[in-house]
Amino acid sequence: METATLKPLAAALPPPPSLNHRILTATTVPHFKQIHAQILRSGLDISAPFLSRLLALPLASSPSSLDYALSVLLHSPSPDFRLANRALRALSRAADPRRTLVAYGRLRRAGLALDRFSFPTVLYCQSGCYNEALQLFDEMKSSGVIPDRVILATILSACARTRNLTSGGAVHSYIVESNLSIDAHLQSALISMYSNCGSMDTAQRLYDDTSAKNLVASTAMVFGYAKLGKIAVARSIFDQMTDKDLVCWSAMISGYAESDQPNEALKLFNEMHLLGVKPDQITMLSVISACANMGARDQAKWVHIFVDKNGFHQILSIRNALIDMYSKCGSLVDARTIFDETAFKDVITWTSMITGFAMHGNGRSALAVFDHMISEGVKPNGVTFISLLYACSHAGLVDEGRRIFESMIQDYRLEPKHEHYGCMVDLLGRARLLQEALEFIESMPFAPNVVVWGSLLGACRIHGDVKLGELVARRLLELDPNHDGAYVLLSNIYAKASRWEDVREVRNLMKNKGVIKEAGFSWIELNGHVHEFMMGDKCHPRSSEIYGKLDEVVKELELVGYSPDTATVLVDLQEEEKREAILLHSEKLALSLGLIDSKKGSSIHIAKNLRVCDDCHTFMKLASKVFEREIVLRDRTRFHHYKDGVCSCGDFW
């Protein structure tokens, strides 16, 4: 912090009326500097009224103005601690509140007396200096200053933000041992601390002991349960609240968005909107995330319009989230438009666009965006390189992937993590370089985790390498005996090799261990409504119409050479049973509904929670040509754009 060179003010003399009037009527910092020069020349000490008036100005937006006020304070012959507290409050509300701690240190070194009202300001852990706040609290106790309820609540907030359960528990013990009565504010702070730290049993006991369930405590409970994935419990508390503020609504919406229930998040947002509660940036980020997870393009368009109408479009984090949302909803054109219209791009902006191209299998464009990013002087981070390696993996760019991995280490001095090694293993594995992938794992500087072994096991399934697959599955299950993906992939490897006895053995092992395979489902958005399908699903109200359309589609596709690929059925059934099973996959049902409700030349957007199988991939390609539709399918790992009988992945996925 810059310090102005000032001469000490002289002994106190009564100020001339004209000078006193100028101080009282001054409204700008330059005006104050002129008066200050006159004071120094006159030898008068009128620092107290001068500083009092100076600190009454809205200085928070100007760091240089705050520096000037602080310099005047430090060079006063008898600085007043009340003025020091005002200066600290002004600093704490500035754009960079961390400067408050610097100012506090300078005041202490200057020997200025501070009182207990100084500490809450310096503790506004609200500036994000949570660990510093905890250290300052320890200093405060050691100096003999007894904290009051306000300071204790502030420290508990710092513990909550840093999820420091140990320190939070120590503060709770201090409160109990000091026989300090716990008012509603302190009780809420304790509940918030335990909720943020995931200690919901203790939070629930404190909450149950609260006679009047206030808004802060109830919101903390909603947030805590939602974070742990106990969304039903969170919703129960939420529904019992009579008065709900924006923070409470946001906590519940965020809970749904992060618990893979995006549809519920959007429903709740609509309810909040109808009640006239205005969202903030945090709420909108959760809503945009929910849209992205759903892959619902119509909903995404509506949210984008809402963002523009309500003035959120200039916020960089919102723009970054919109790029991600449109990418995940299958519209790279919209994502690229927002990217191009964003004047200031940070590393997240560039990485979001790279990720968008990566998930759509457009590796060359991802690399081009990266090159542009570097030319603009933006330094990539670890996430950027994960996206780049992912892009190379899904486009078969082996040499480029190797170069990117080396550049990350050599040029940018970034240490690869498990995710980077997993991407490299996936890249080599997809390119059928299985032995090189294994050697790459063995050369890692730390033990591989389930992500790394899972990448190689997936490659073994793709290329039907039974021997290596068995080895990798054993390694993976040693790390996580209940990893459902390991059992499923190994079972698929055996099924592909028609080793049905081994398939049954793996399935029985899963059953005995209580390991449940994730159920596959697909969904499609039509006219703003999302329709979900399971395999062989007949729950949809238009089920008979959908199955009738599916029969028609199969007959039309058979005329151009389609034959169900029963080799992709991974259970031991009769040939006719395999044919029936393969034709009832959830994405085929979703497509049938899409064909009923769309016209030639339009596009159909489908999303699936698992990887698309070989047969459905062929089915979609042929359907796009025969029925003259563009079909956009998002599976677990990437997008497939089917048009005129061709897929954007080039059959490499």
Side-chain angles (χ1 to χ4, degrees):
M1 189 179 293
E2 183 182 350
T3 305
T5 303
L6 298 173
K7 296 178 181 179
L9 294 171
L13 289 173
S18 60
L19 188 57
N20 207 24
H21 176 73
R22 288 189 67 191
I23 292 171
L24 292 174
T25 56
T27 56
T28 67
V29 173
H31 195 178
F32 270 98
K33 287 183 177 180
Q34 291 176 2
I35 298 170
H36 191 194
Q38 185 178 349
I39 292 171
L40 290 173
R41 285 195 298 270
S42 68
L44 299 173
D45 176 15
I46 51 171
S47 55
F50 178 82
L51 265 173
S52 180
R53 179 70 185 127
L54 175 60
L55 290 170
L57 292 181
L59 302 170
S61 62
S62 174
S64 61
S65 300
L66 284 169
D67 289 345
Y68 170 65
L70 185 61
S71 295
V72 173
L73 176 68
L74 287 168
H75 287 79
S76 299
S78 55
D80 190 318
F81 66 83
R82 287 167 296 187
L83 290 174
N85 288 341
R86 288 180 66 179
L88 290 173
R89 278 197 298 275
L91 280 163
S92 71
R93 294 165 185 158
D96 182 11
R98 292 172 182 266
R99 295 156 56 88
T100 314
L101 292 171
V102 179
Y104 168 78
R106 289 182 59 192
L107 291 170
R108 286 292 298 270
R109 287 193 297 274
L112 186 67
L114 298 174
D115 66 356
R116 67 189 185 91
F117 295 104
S118 309
F119 286 99
T121 302
V122 181
L123 290 170
Y124 274 77
C125 62
Q126 292 175 12
S127 68
C129 307
Y130 307 120
N131 290 321
E132 291 91 332
L134 295 173
Q135 292 169 9
L136 198 59
F137 177 62
D138 289 336
E139 180 185 333
M140 175 185 173
K141 288 193 297 182
S142 63
S143 66
V145 180
I146 300 174
D148 59 13
R149 292 185 187 87
V150 175
I151 291 178
L152 290 169
T154 302
I155 293 301
L156 286 169
S157 176
C159 294
R161 297 297 184 90
T162 55
R163 298 190 178 182
N164 191 335
L165 183 59
T166 302
S167 295
V171 174
H172 191 185
S173 298
Y174 175 87
I175 293 169
V176 173
E177 291 164 5
S178 303
N179 291 319
L180 189 67
S181 62
I182 302 177
D183 59 11
H185 182 62
L186 199 52
Q187 184 88 344
S188 297
L190 284 166
I191 291 170
S192 297
M193 184 275 292
Y194 282 115
S195 296
N196 273 269
C197 294
S199 184
M200 293 309 299
D201 290 342
T202 306
Q204 187 68 58
R205 283 196 297 271
L206 288 167
Y207 187 69
D208 292 339
D209 290 341
T210 306
S211 55
K213 308 291 193 278
N214 66 38
L215 182 62
V216 175
S218 298
T219 301
M221 295 298 289
V222 170
F223 177 82
Y225 279 120
K227 276 290 182 184
L228 291 178
K230 296 183 177 180
I231 204 74
V233 182
R235 184 60 191 261
S236 175
I237 296 171
F238 178 85
D239 288 340
Q240 292 173 41
M241 297 171 66
T242 52
D243 295 315
K244 302 181 181 76
D245 66 358
L246 174 60
V247 177
C248 182
W249 284 97
S250 295
M252 196 67 240
I253 291 169
S254 173
Y256 278 126
E258 294 177 11
S259 299
D260 291 329
Q261 297 187 47
N263 203 22
E264 293 301 318
L266 294 176
K267 283 181 184 176
L268 198 61
F269 175 68
N270 285 329
E271 185 181 332
M272 177 186 119
H273 180 56
L274 290 173
L275 290 172
V277 181
K278 292 187 176 180
D280 63 3
Q281 175 181 341
I282 295 172
T283 318
M284 292 312 304
L285 287 172
S286 293
V287 171
I288 294 169
S289 174
C291 265
N293 290 336
M294 281 184 67
R297 194 174 58 162
D298 290 347
Q299 291 277 11
K301 290 283 188 184
W302 181 86
V303 168
H304 189 184
I305 292 169
F306 186 94
V307 163
D308 287 345
K309 283 186 175 179
N310 290 273
F312 292 106
H313 59 285
Q314 295 298 333
I315 301 173
L316 183 59
S317 60
I318 295 287
R319 297 187 71 82
N320 293 342
L322 288 173
I323 293 169
D324 179 69
M325 176 189 75
Y326 274 124
S327 296
K328 289 178 177 174
C329 290
S331 182
L332 270 180
V333 172
D334 289 311
R336 186 63 195 249
T337 298
I338 295 171
F339 175 81
D340 289 339
E341 291 175 352
T342 303
F344 172 77
K345 300 178 179 70
D346 63 4
V347 65
I348 299 174
T349 317
W350 291 96
T351 301
S352 297
M353 197 66 249
I354 291 169
T355 304
F357 281 121
M359 71 175 66
H360 285 262
N362 197 335
R364 295 293 180 190
S365 294
L367 293 175
V369 172
F370 176 68
D371 290 340
H372 188 189
M373 170 185 173
I374 299 305
S375 70
E376 292 290 324
V378 180
K379 185 178 179 180
N381 59 23
V383 179
T384 311
F385 282 100
I386 289 174
S387 298
L388 287 167
L389 293 171
Y390 178 86
C392 292
S393 176
H394 285 271
L397 304 175
V398 178
D399 291 337
E400 290 84 349
R402 289 191 182 111
R403 177 177 56 79
I404 288 290
F405 188 80
E406 288 300 319
S407 176
M408 173 187 175
I409 301 169
Q410 301 297 330
D411 299 334
Y412 298 98
R413 304 298 180 191
L414 292 172
E415 186 176 335
K417 293 182 169 49
H418 280 104
E419 293 82 0
H420 301 99
Y421 283 98
C423 285
M424 277 302 295
V425 170
D426 189 59
L427 170 66
L428 296 170
R430 287 177 186 276
R432 204 184 281 270
L433 300 171
L434 298 178
Q435 190 58 40
E436 184 180 343
L438 180 60
E439 292 170 0
F440 184 81
I441 292 174
E442 292 171 344
S443 70
M444 287 173 57
F446 42 74
N449 64 1
V450 293
V451 173
V452 175
W453 286 120
S455 296
L456 184 53
L457 186 58
C460 292
R461 186 203 68 81
I462 294 171
H463 301 299
D465 192 322
V466 178
K467 185 177 180 181
L468 182 58
E470 289 176 325
L471 169 67
V472 174
R474 281 198 300 272
R475 297 284 181 87
L476 204 163
L477 291 171
E478 286 171 4
L479 294 173
D480 184 0
N482 295 314
H483 193 286
D484 64 321
Y487 290 106
V488 172
L489 286 172
L490 183 58
S491 173
N492 292 354
I493 291 170
Y494 285 139
K496 201 168 184 178
S498 299
R499 289 173 53 170
W500 301 113
E501 189 59 42
D502 290 320
V503 171
R504 280 188 285 273
E505 185 178 335
V506 173
R507 296 293 171 95
N508 287 334
L509 190 59
M510 288 179 68
K511 184 177 179 181
N512 294 336
K513 284 182 169 287
V515 178
I516 301 173
K517 176 183 179 294
E518 183 180 1
F521 63 95
S522 301
W523 61 97
I524 182 172
E525 184 189 33
L526 295 170
N527 302 317
H529 296 284
V530 177
H531 306 261
E532 291 188 357
F533 295 92
M534 304 284 284
M535 179 179 174
D537 197 342
K538 293 190 177 180
C539 296
H540 196 279
R542 298 171 67 183
S543 184
S544 59
E545 189 181 359
I546 291 168
Y547 277 87
K549 185 65 175 180
L550 178 60
D551 287 340
E552 176 193 329
V553 171
V554 172
K555 289 175 183 175
E556 289 287 331
L557 297 190
E558 286 178 334
L559 293 176
V560 293
Y562 170 70
S563 177
D565 184 4
T566 55
T568 61
V569 178
L570 303 174
V571 289
D572 190 13
L573 300 172
Q574 296 296 321
E575 193 63 24
E576 188 56 35
E577 292 175 313
K578 287 183 179 182
R579 173 187 165 85
E580 184 178 345
I582 203 73
L583 291 176
L584 297 182
H585 279 193
S586 59
E587 54 264 59
K588 291 188 176 82
L589 298 176
L591 174 64
S592 298
L593 178 60
L595 289 171
I596 293 171
D597 283 6
S598 66
K599 298 178 180 178
K600 288 183 178 181
S602 62
S603 61
I604 298 173
H605 287 249
I606 301 170
K608 181 178 174 64
N609 68 323
L610 300 179
R611 188 176 183 272
V612 64
C613 74
D614 293 343
D615 181 78
C616 285
H617 191 261
T618 301
F619 192 91
M620 297 291 171
K621 284 197 298 183
L622 293 173
S624 71
K625 183 175 183 178
V626 171
F627 294 95
E628 299 178 35
R629 310 286 202 282
E630 180 185 11
I631 303 169
V632 181
L633 173 63
R634 186 185 85 182
D635 71 8
R636 173 172 249 166
T637 59
R638 60 163 297 157
F639 273 90
H640 300 265
H641 292 256
Y642 305 96
K643 190 173 183 179
D644 298 326
V646 177
C647 180
S648 61
C649 73
D651 297 337
F652 182 87
W653 82 100

